Coordinates of all heavy atoms in Angstrom, one line a residue:
P146 N 97.2 148.8 127.2 CA 97.7 147.7 126.4 C 98.6 148.1 125.2 O 98.3 149.0 124.5 CB 96.3 147.1 125.8 CG 95.3 147.7 126.6 CD 95.8 149.0 127.1
V150 N 99.0 150.3 120.4 CA 100.1 151.0 119.7 C 100.6 150.1 118.6 O 100.8 150.6 117.4 CB 101.2 151.4 120.6 CG1 102.3 152.1 119.8 CG2 100.7 152.3 121.7
L165 N 88.8 155.0 124.2 CA 89.6 154.0 124.9 C 90.4 154.5 126.1 O 90.5 154.0 127.2 CB 90.5 153.2 123.9 CG 91.3 152.1 124.5 CD1 90.4 151.0 125.1 CD2 92.3 151.5 123.5
N238 N 98.7 128.4 105.2 CA 99.0 127.0 105.4 C 97.8 126.1 105.7 O 97.8 124.9 105.4 CB 100.0 126.9 106.5 CG 101.4 127.4 106.2 OD1 101.8 127.4 105.0 ND2 102.1 128.0 107.1
D419 N 51.2 189.7 65.6 CA 50.8 190.3 64.3 C 49.3 190.5 64.3 O 48.8 191.6 63.8 CB 51.2 189.5 63.1 CG 52.7 189.5 63.0 OD1 53.4 190.4 63.6 OD2 53.3 188.6 62.3
N424 N 44.5 194.0 64.3 CA 43.2 194.4 64.9 C 43.3 195.9 65.4 O 42.3 196.6 65.3 CB 42.8 193.5 66.0 CG 42.3 192.2 65.5 OD1 42.0 192.1 64.3 ND2 42.3 191.2 66.3

Side-chain angles (χ1 to χ4, degrees):
V150 177
L165 182 62
N238 292 327
D419 289 345
N424 284 344

